[in-house]
Amino acid sequence: MDIQTEYSTIEITAAVIVILLLGIILYLNWQLAMLAFIVVVGAYMFVGRTIRRGRHRRKAQFDRMAKGITQASTFALQNLPVGIVIIDENNVICWSNSVFKDWLPNDSNKTMKLSGFIPTLRIDKYWGKSGFFHEEIDGKYYRVLYKTLEAPKSRYSDVDSDELESYMAFYFDDISDIEREKNNAMAMVPALGFITMDNIEDLRTGLSDIEYTQLWSDMNRLIVTEIDQHDGFIRNATEDTYSFSISKAEMLKMMEKRFNLLDKIRALTTSKHIPPTISMGIALTTDSVKVQGEKAKAALEIALGRGGDQVCVYHGEEVKFFGGKTSGNEKNTRVRARVVSHALHEIMLDSDRVLVMGHDREDYDSIGASVGVAAMARALHKPVHIALSPNSTAVRKLVEVLVDHPDFKGLIIDGEEAEQFVTDNTVVIVTDVHRSEMVAAPAALKKSTRRVVIDHHRRGSDFIASPLLTYLEPSTSSTSELVTELIQYFPDHVTLKNIEASGLYAGIVVDTKNFVVQTGARTFEAASFLRRSGADVSLVRHLFMDSFEGMRMRSAMLASAEEVANMAFTEAPENAQNATVIAAQTGDKLITLEGIEASFVFYVLPDGGIGVSARSQGKVNVQVIMEAVGGGGHRTVAGAQIYNKSLKEARRWVTDVAVSYMTELQRESEEELE
């Protein structure tokens, strides 16, 4: 019951009582009743007037209060410490409070639209919705809430709903202080890392104690000084290994300088004229300290697996590489080869079956190494097969010889047969590749739980998971050379048949470009062993014989080659047969031309993708360039498979990446000269 109704009830009740009393008095004395009636009417008129005046005063008071509240609300809305702006569907500012107006630039042409305040604003992304986003504008940080204006739902409102919904309100909350503190805190997040001296032991041989001590002291001084300059903490874990911690902000500075510590170390001179090198593994993530330590250790292993003289950084979910300017030095000792050979022997003995595979689109190094590993399994009388990919046209001649040979019936199988062949106790040995998506039979590899990797390519971040044994030697010319050494140290004597020795020999020949590229003493020793084991040079020559049509096509590709920044680019015709082989041969020929440091040959894959065959004389690391487009390989021999791009688009992409690499290489060379 409201106040007005309450007053009416009281008045009625009082009137009834007065009438009853007057009636009683009238019954007793009519003169007295008339006098009482006059008094009652006068009193009623006086009280009514007083009540009406009170009501008017209260109404006027409420009106003044309401007007004051409206003015206070308007003042609060205009001066609320939040910028408020209302825009129409054309992004035009219709109204804004004084706080937002103070933030706007003086140029009125830019303030007519909200995009003058937020240059990156796409109004269509937010129109008709509600939510918030964060924006940095001129060094300030804002939390921006946006909301579509809606008409009041009262039936007494005279506002058109459709008209009101053509406007949006944006509320800008200045959170600059919070964001700055947050950024400062993030900048102080520690990054963990490990540093190792790559070749200090190799350099120690042939140096006097004084020379070695001086070299170690110089390297130690440079390493400790570099970390100390960035306010980091560093300690020796062993004589040639360090662990360190540094803030995220300082680590980003080191990344901007591309870890010039590598160049400083490499600039140290020794009497052996071999530059000392270091490798670093760093974890710059938001994980726990334990996980960061594990990632930093894994990063160091990747850097070493890629040949050393470089830095591997886990930056969030991304893996970045720096350095890698020098090619891996050939190890003169075969101690590791002997140890790996014995370990491989034990793994094969503990396995019921052996499956060997190389990479997809096999070359002669891949198939040759697989044949050599199969020979070791055969020496142990283990059931063994070589899984071949559907795209093995490049090694067709050797495969045909193996298939026709009576001693190798059933040795070669396809991916489906390989998957069926794998059991819980089958060891899968992968040669000339260490990336799971690039193997000849991915399903068979995924099914296996016992894996071995033998490769000579620089290690990438996507390594085959959980191998029982890894033999990765980037300094070696070819995987066939590695397998040849393993055969020599295998505890059970391995008698190579002529075709097996020839396959391994062909693998060495193809990756060394006839013993010209990345060839050391151990390469010739391996080749000598294979020749003594019956490698047929005439058969190898037959494997590499070119057809007349292939020669004509290669000549046309050479004629159409384009030179860009001391690099050659060309492409094979779309209908080319054996395009992989022809591309590799063309790339090899291009880098023999004067002034050409690297070559890139493009060709169409059978599945519609674009293949890239990259070659280098050694100065340019084509592996880094190919990794940037999703491929990989070795310093002088690399490749990639690009999908969802046309031949022209793929060529333009690779060219841009290669030119950018050459520009950076030139800049670093100029800085070293200075």
Side-chain angles (χ1 to χ4, degrees), residues 14-36:
V16 170
I17 293 172
V18 169
I19 292 172
L20 289 174
L21 290 175
L22 288 174
I24 294 171
I25 295 173
L26 179 64
Y27 177 74
L28 297 175
N29 188 336
W30 66 273
Q31 292 92 349
L32 183 60
M34 290 295 293
L35 179 63

Side-chain angles (χ1 to χ4, degrees), residues 5 48 56 81 92 122 138 145 152 172 174 191 289 321 341 420 429 450-451 471 477-478 518 559-560 587 608 625:
T5 304
H56 284 300
V92 175
R122 286 184 52 193
D138 295 333
L145 286 83
F172 291 79
D174 189 346
V289 175
F321 299 101
S341 184
Q420 296 174 0
I429 303 175
R450 299 168 59 80
R451 304 163 182 171
Y471 189 27
S477 69
S478 59
Q518 199 165 343
S560 63
I625 298 174

Side-chain angles (χ1 to χ4, degrees), residues 161-215:
S161 177
D162 293 335
E163 180 181 351
L164 193 56
E165 287 180 355
S166 62
Y167 296 91
M168 284 193 71
F170 285 77
Y171 305 86
F172 291 79
D173 186 10
D174 189 346
I175 57 172
S176 298
D177 293 339
I178 298 174
E179 284 297 315
R180 290 191 185 100
E181 290 299 324
K182 177 182 175 182
N183 292 338
N184 291 336
M186 291 300 297
M188 297 306 296
V189 169
L192 300 181
F194 295 97
I195 302 175
T196 186
M197 300 177 180
D198 293 335
N199 55 352
I200 191 71
E201 288 300 322
D202 294 336
L203 291 171
R204 187 171 192 168
T205 305
L207 294 179
S208 65
D209 290 342
I210 296 177
E211 289 175 324
Y212 171 76
T213 303
Q214 183 63 47
L215 175 63

Side-chain angles (χ1 to χ4, degrees), residues 561-564 566-570 590 593 596-601:
E562 178 186 8
E563 180 184 357
V564 180
N566 295 333
M567 297 177 292
F569 298 84
T570 189
L590 284 170
L593 302 178
I596 299 299
E597 297 290 344
S599 65
F600 301 88
V601 183

